[in-house]
């Protein structure tokens, strides 16, 4: 059997194991890696092993697999369609492998691939596509090829056009804080599949340069709005392109629902019956401070953080923020869109009890090559922002976490 396996390539096939018995001998690391896929395939899994890893034991406890706590016995493969042999007992492995051969049960052996009648490919999934790679005796290469294919499908770098009819719609995609590598895998894939991209100024611009030439890229700030408000004009553009049968991506900086008016756009689409997919993004509220070395929470320093918009001054009648209440909090305060009003915000917090010497930092263009951090105190925040020429986009962090450094000190 070993010589035969060495002379011929393996024949690839997809096993439909739903409701069919699969016997797994051994509850160690191999079983831990393979069991989730077998369960996902709907297999009726019988695990036979005197012991198991905590993860495997948890699967048995939740009823995903049936576990008989013992060693292999002749006849254990009765009724099986597929077997995975992965015990640390060579004698038991050989006996079980022979039983599989006698009963014509396809059998994988973790200890001796040449003695097996089946090999497990390196597998991955992306949007309904299962990728399985076999390279014979080189599992690391199989995994590397698998990863390259799956990543290409996910980020759109590997072209795989859909032949089925595509339902028109809009995806509200959070592009992250600025670094193009920080968009989600799903967001990047949807960008690659888009016909039209309507982008914000704060969206990751480098991603737009990667789009195929046929994709129409529209700057949201340059949509003519005439008798409409700017946001209404954007909503109308989304609806117009979607109704024309286009796959539309609305690319936003950060997360669509964190001061991004994403819900307004989702509501406008829902009113006219256009499907809308929301793809969350990495919000600058956490990622930008983190990129600058500031944790928004830290054990023994801050057990809370509050995110607030600073685009409306504290004394403006349009402000919806309870600044006196914020001043009374002990945790971290993260202010977005607050550069212009930074002095007024700091003064209002001090007025209502926040200590004037509270550490503060401003991170401009966080996560990008142009990132810079400017430190101050609450009392000097406004003056420092002006003196340093800080410009939007910038995130302001106020609280003792600003003084926490990587060496675990709190100055």
């Amino acid at each position: 059997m070993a010589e035969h396996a060495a002379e011929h390539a393996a024949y690839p096939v997809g096993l439909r194991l739903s409701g069919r018995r699969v016997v797994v001998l051994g509850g160690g690391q191999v079983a831990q890696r393979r069991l989730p896929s077998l369960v996902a395939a709907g297999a009726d899994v019988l695990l036979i092993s005197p012991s198991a890893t905590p993860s495997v034991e948890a699967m048995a406890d939740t009823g995903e697999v049936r576990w008989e706590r013992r060693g292999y016995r002749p006849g254990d493969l009765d009724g099986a369609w597929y077997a995975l042999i992965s015990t640390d007992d060579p004698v038991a492995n050989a006996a079980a492998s022979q039983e599989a051969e006698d009963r014509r049960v396809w059998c994988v052996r973790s200890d001796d691939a040449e003695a097996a009648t089946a090999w497990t490919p390196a597998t991955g999934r992306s949007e309904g596509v299962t990728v399985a790679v076999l390279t014979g005796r080189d599992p690391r290469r199989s995994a590397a090829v698998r990863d390259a294919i799956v990543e290409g499908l996910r980020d759109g770098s590997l072209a795989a056009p859909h032949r089925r009819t595509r339902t028109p719609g809009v995806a509200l995609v959070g592009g992250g804080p600025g670094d193009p590598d920080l968009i989600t895998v799903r967001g990047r894939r949807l960008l690659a599949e888009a016909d039209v991209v309507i982008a914000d100024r704060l969206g990751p611009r480098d991603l737009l340069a990667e789009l195929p030439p046929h994709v129409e890229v529209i700057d949201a700030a340059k949509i003519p709005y005439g008798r409409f408000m700017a946001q209404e004009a954007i909503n109308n553009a989304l609806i117009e392109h979607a109704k024309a049968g286009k796959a539309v991506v609305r690319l936003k900086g950060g997360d669509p629902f964190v001061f991004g008016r994403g819900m307004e756009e989702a509501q406008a689409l829902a009113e006219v019956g256009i499907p809308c997919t929301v793809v969350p993004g990495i919000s600058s509220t956490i990622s930008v401070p983190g990129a600058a070395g500031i944790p928004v929470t830290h054990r023994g320093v801050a057990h809370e953080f509050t995110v607030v918009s600073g685009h409306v001054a504290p004394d403006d009648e349009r402000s919806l923020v309870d600044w006196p209440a914020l001043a009374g909090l002990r945790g971290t305060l993260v202010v977005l869109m607050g550069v212009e009003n930074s002095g007024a915000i700091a003064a209002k917090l001090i007025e209502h009890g926040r200590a004037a010497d509270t550490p503060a930092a401003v991170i401009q263009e966080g996560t990008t090559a142009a990132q810079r951090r400017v430190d101050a105190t609450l009392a000097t925040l406004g003056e420092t922002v002006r003196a340093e020429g800080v410009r939007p986009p910038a995130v302001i962090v106020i609280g003792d976490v600003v003084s926490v450094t990587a060496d675990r000190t709190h100055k």
Side-chain angles (χ1 to χ4, degrees), residues 122-133 145-155 158-164 189 193:
T123 60
R125 290 185 61 81
S126 176
E127 290 298 305
V129 176
T130 298
V131 176
V133 179
V145 174
R146 180 270 320 274
D147 292 344
I149 295 173
V150 171
E151 179 62 23
L153 291 172
R154 286 176 174 171
D155 66 21
L158 181 61
H162 295 284
R163 299 302 178 190
R164 67 180 185 273
R189 178 181 57 77
E193 295 177 356

Side-chain angles (χ1 to χ4, degrees), residues 333-336 338-339 342 345 360-363 381 385 394-398:
L333 183 62
V334 179
V335 183
L336 302 186
V339 169
S342 57
I345 290 170
V362 186
I363 305 100
L381 179 60
V385 165
V395 175
I396 301 172
V397 186
I398 300 167

Side-chain angles (χ1 to χ4, degrees), residues 178-318:
D179 183 340
D181 285 344
L182 294 180
I183 190 173
T184 63
V185 169
R186 189 178 190 191
R188 198 174 194 119
R189 178 181 57 77
L190 287 173
L191 270 179
E193 295 177 356
D195 300 311
V196 177
V197 176
I198 299 179
D200 277 344
R201 177 179 62 88
L202 297 181
R205 292 169 294 182
D206 291 350
L207 290 173
L208 301 179
E210 300 176 3
L211 296 175
H214 72 274
V215 178
E216 182 180 0
V217 178
I218 300 171
D219 184 344
K222 296 181 179 179
I223 295 177
Y225 49 93
R227 63 188 180 89
F228 298 104
M229 294 178 61
Q231 185 58 54
E232 288 178 295
I234 293 172
N235 295 349
N236 291 339
L238 293 171
I239 293 169
E240 175 188 347
H241 288 289
K243 282 188 172 180
K246 303 295 181 68
V248 183
V249 167
R250 176 72 169 103
L251 181 62
K252 297 171 171 290
D255 182 275
F257 287 176
V258 180
F259 304 130
R261 295 190 170 183
M263 183 53 75
E264 294 178 40
E265 294 169 354
Q267 290 171 335
L269 294 166
E271 287 177 2
V272 294
I274 293 176
C276 176
T277 299
V278 177
V279 181
I282 298 176
S283 175
S284 59
T285 59
I286 301 171
S287 57
V288 167
I294 300 172
V296 293
T297 63
H298 188 70
R299 184 158 55 94
V301 178
H303 291 173
E304 67 189 35
F305 70 96
T306 304
V307 180
V308 61
S309 170
H311 76 288
V312 177
D315 290 330
D316 192 307
E317 62 181 11
R318 297 170 298 166

Side-chain angles (χ1 to χ4, degrees), residues 19-247:
R20 296 183 168 97
R21 173 169 292 191
V22 172
V23 175
V24 177
L25 302 180
Q29 294 297 323
V30 173
Q32 181 173 314
R33 292 198 308 271
R34 303 303 181 198
L35 281 172
S37 296
L38 293 170
V39 171
D44 173 20
V45 179
L46 171 61
L47 171 66
I48 298 174
S49 180
S51 60
T53 68
S55 295
V56 171
E57 187 169 353
M59 296 181 71
D61 290 342
T62 57
E64 293 180 292
V65 303
R66 293 180 294 116
W67 180 18
E68 294 190 9
R69 293 166 172 78
R70 59 176 178 80
Y72 164 74
R73 297 172 186 163
D76 279 341
L77 300 189
D78 184 30
W81 291 68
Y82 182 75
L84 170 61
I85 299 175
S86 61
T87 81
D88 56 5
D89 182 349
V91 175
N93 291 347
S97 181
Q98 186 59 54
E99 181 181 347
E101 181 79 12
D102 295 340
R103 293 178 180 271
R104 298 187 179 182
V105 176
W106 294 110
C107 172
V108 174
R109 283 187 61 172
S110 63
D111 63 333
D112 189 349
E114 290 301 326
T117 54
W119 291 336
T120 303
T123 60
R125 290 185 61 81
S126 176
E127 290 298 305
V129 176
T130 298
V131 176
V133 179
L134 278 173
T135 56
R137 301 177 185 84
D138 193 349
R140 291 187 178 182
R141 187 182 179 208
S142 296
V145 174
R146 180 270 320 274
D147 292 344
I149 295 173
V150 171
E151 179 62 23
L153 291 172
R154 286 176 174 171
D155 66 21
S157 60
L158 181 61
H162 295 284
R163 299 302 178 190
R164 67 180 185 273
T165 301
R166 183 167 53 188
T167 302
V170 175
L172 304 181
V173 175
D179 183 340
D181 285 344
L182 294 180
I183 190 173
T184 63
V185 169
R186 189 178 190 191
R188 198 174 194 119
R189 178 181 57 77
L190 287 173
L191 270 179
E193 295 177 356
D195 300 311
V196 177
V197 176
I198 299 179
D200 277 344
R201 177 179 62 88
L202 297 181
R205 292 169 294 182
D206 291 350
L207 290 173
L208 301 179
E210 300 176 3
L211 296 175
H214 72 274
V215 178
E216 182 180 0
V217 178
I218 300 171
D219 184 344
K222 296 181 179 179
I223 295 177
Y225 49 93
R227 63 188 180 89
F228 298 104
M229 294 178 61
Q231 185 58 54
E232 288 178 295
I234 293 172
N235 295 349
N236 291 339
L238 293 171
I239 293 169
E240 175 188 347
H241 288 289
K243 282 188 172 180
K246 303 295 181 68

